[in-house]
Amino acid sequence: MPDPYAGAAALLQALSARGLHVQPLPHQPSDAPPARPILSATHLLLPESLDAEQRRAAVAHAAAHLLYSPTAQPSGTLKPMALAVISAIEDARAEQLLMQELPGVGAWFLAALQASVEPHGLSCMALLSRLSLALLDDDYRDGNHWVGKGRTLFAKARRMHGLHDTAAFRRVASVLSNDLGQMRVQFNSRQFAVPAPYRDDNSYLWDYGTSPDADGNPMTVQQPTKPGSPAADDAAPPAAQLAELLYSYPEWDYRHRIQRRDWCTVHEYTAAVPTPREPDGPTPRLPAPLAWRRLDRSLRLRHQREGEAIDLDAAVDAQVRHHLGQPSDGRLYLRAVPAPRRISMLVLLDLSLSTAERTQPDTPSLLELEQEAALRLASTARANGDRVAIDGFCSDTRARVHYHPLLDFDEPLDAQALQRVRAASARYSTRLGTALRHAARRLQAEHAELRALVVLTDGEPADIDVHDVRYLVEDARAAALAATRLGLQVWGVAVDPGAAVYARRIFGSRRQRVLPSPTQLPRLLGGLYARLAQG
């Protein structure tokens, strides 16, 4: 049998010929995370703690990155956990490409991954160690749903796009990173180390810019904090700025076909999200209204004694009466009077953590696009004489469904309101049914001919305390049906190519829209408003 390590010296020699210098890594402080190799375009620094097999794997891994990986990608606003997941997927992609050229290196990688796997932990490092092994070892079996999903998505991207399509695997990593956020997996960037000791610290892949934190760690950014934690308490605004009201709502359990009374608690923050301090620059501008043909909103009264035009029906009726010898009452005219406001619309924004993700570092997040589209809709509808409010929601179990009124029906759309809507931040999960019930309660108080509730979301309902994927979909459907029975129109707009099934289940086939791209939001909302305004 050929020696699988026979090519290590030749591989190292080839790297040296390309100008790569292999050197020992300087000693690390005792309180630092475990040392990992450091790769740059010119140097590979190896910790002294690596044994001979790990060193061979480290050299092969460095070769894979130098040959196949993009370098110095801008990290932008990516969170540390997202960077870790994207890097792990890129490690596997580059290694598989090298294994296609040099099949023998696969044994080096597998031996090191099998030795470092944490089979039972649920930390980010443990899950990434298991995913890394699952992506290279077809015989490895893992019962964790997230690991299995990662293996399936990776294999699908490889089959459909090939290993050289880095964008396809970046999308896989984005989905997996979002899932970890929904699972509330904790991530401490100061303690995190790449799980496999032979893999480098990913500094070759990323350009972190010139704004590291005070301790020089460019990956450390503020993470969303859970209510009740010291960090959350320190960051919480004073009570005078953020008053909290509590409401209890039922939840539909489709498995037992019962509605659980007072099962969920809504925390409504009456001041919405904290309004930022006055900006140093110019006052925020109102978004340009959507392209819109202003409707004639006057009401034409028939059978009037005086008016601007003849009422043809009344005139014909008068002629008939004349031939029958009956007197006419003289009501032969049409008169236009101002019509009452017809529409009250509440736009409900999904503020879950996944809406903050960006497809590219320099592109706006879905949440930012939601905010601007809702503001443009509000500007258009109010210019046409209708009433619009904007609210947002997210959830942290059934006990804490956070609800933020961002723009009230009677509030002017001024600079302060614009700041408040744009300051809404993304966190936690998407318990849609409870948010729908609370939004319907607010909208029901409006006196209008048509009351519409429009939900903007990026995925199916989910929360950390629910593991049945159908459970919250069925509850949201029950909430939407209950709102309809109150005389409200409930519309759902999902920016998720795979949303057709659950969106149709929740909102019905005629009142759901699925968008493949969030950039289509303003146009779709404009069309939806036109449909509502024209009856």
Side-chain angles (χ1 to χ4, degrees), residues 147-448:
V147 174
K149 181 177 181 178
R151 170 185 264 166
T152 301
L153 293 178
F154 190 96
K156 182 178 179 180
R158 177 175 179 170
R159 182 175 65 255
M160 297 181 62
H161 303 281
L163 286 170
H164 287 281
D165 189 342
T166 56
F169 291 90
R170 180 72 173 264
R171 291 192 292 270
V172 170
S174 178
V175 171
L176 295 176
S177 173
N178 175 60
D179 287 352
L180 288 182
Q182 297 282 4
M183 294 158 57
R184 304 288 192 274
V185 173
Q186 298 298 311
F187 188 93
N188 188 325
S189 60
R190 297 183 184 278
Q191 297 178 358
F192 178 81
V194 177
Y198 76 90
R199 289 181 172 176
D200 62 89
D201 66 350
N202 301 320
S203 56
Y204 176 79
L205 299 176
W206 301 105
D207 176 8
Y208 298 111
T210 57
S211 302
D213 64 12
D215 297 325
N217 185 349
M219 288 184 64
T220 303
V221 298
Q222 185 175 0
Q223 293 288 302
T225 52
K226 297 190 70 171
S229 66
D233 294 340
D234 292 342
Q241 293 180 337
L242 191 62
E244 184 175 348
L245 300 175
L246 303 182
Y247 300 84
S248 295
Y249 289 97
E251 189 167 80
W252 172 251
D253 185 339
Y254 81 96
R255 295 165 300 190
H256 300 95
R257 302 193 61 80
I258 60 173
Q259 183 157 277
R260 301 186 181 278
R261 295 183 58 187
D262 300 331
W263 192 248
C264 299
T265 303
V266 166
H267 298 246
E268 181 185 300
Y269 302 96
T270 56
V273 293
T275 303
R277 62 180 177 83
E278 285 296 321
D280 298 328
T283 302
R285 297 180 59 187
L286 185 69
L290 300 163
W292 173 250
R293 179 178 60 83
R294 189 176 180 88
L295 294 177
D296 178 10
R297 301 300 285 273
S298 61
L299 183 64
R300 299 174 72 84
L301 302 179
R302 306 172 65 88
H303 293 86
Q304 301 297 302
R305 293 189 180 277
E306 58 183 24
E308 299 83 11
I310 296 293
D311 184 344
L312 294 180
D313 289 341
V316 171
D317 184 61
Q319 284 292 99
V320 171
R321 287 175 174 271
H322 175 74
H323 286 294
L324 294 175
Q326 298 176 358
S328 172
D329 60 6
R331 300 177 183 271
L332 305 177
Y333 300 95
L334 294 173
R335 181 162 57 91
V337 297
R341 286 175 176 162
R342 295 182 55 242
I343 300 175
S344 288
M345 180 184 299
L346 193 156
V347 182
L348 186 60
L349 306 183
D350 177 356
L351 303 181
S352 61
L353 186 61
S354 57
T355 61
E357 296 292 336
R358 303 174 189 271
T359 55
Q360 297 294 334
D362 297 329
T363 59
S365 66
L366 171 60
L367 176 57
E368 291 169 340
L369 292 171
E370 280 185 0
Q371 291 162 332
E372 294 306 312
L375 286 171
R376 290 186 67 188
L377 174 62
S379 174
T380 303
R382 290 188 173 196
N384 203 44
D386 291 315
R387 291 165 61 81
V388 176
I390 301 174
D391 294 350
F393 80 98
C394 60
S395 64
D396 184 24
T397 74
R398 66 183 179 90
R400 297 193 69 89
V401 179
H402 303 271
Y403 196 97
H404 298 278
L406 304 175
L407 174 70
D408 212 342
F409 287 103
D410 296 315
E411 182 181 6
L413 193 55
D414 55 14
Q416 187 178 30
L418 294 178
Q419 286 179 333
R420 189 184 309 114
V421 173
R422 289 168 175 157
S425 59
R427 56 175 53 191
Y428 305 132
S429 301
T430 321
R431 208 176 197 102
L432 177 58
T434 306
L436 277 176
R437 292 181 178 92
H438 192 64
R441 176 177 183 166
R442 287 169 50 78
L443 185 59
Q444 190 182 8
E446 284 290 297
H447 299 287

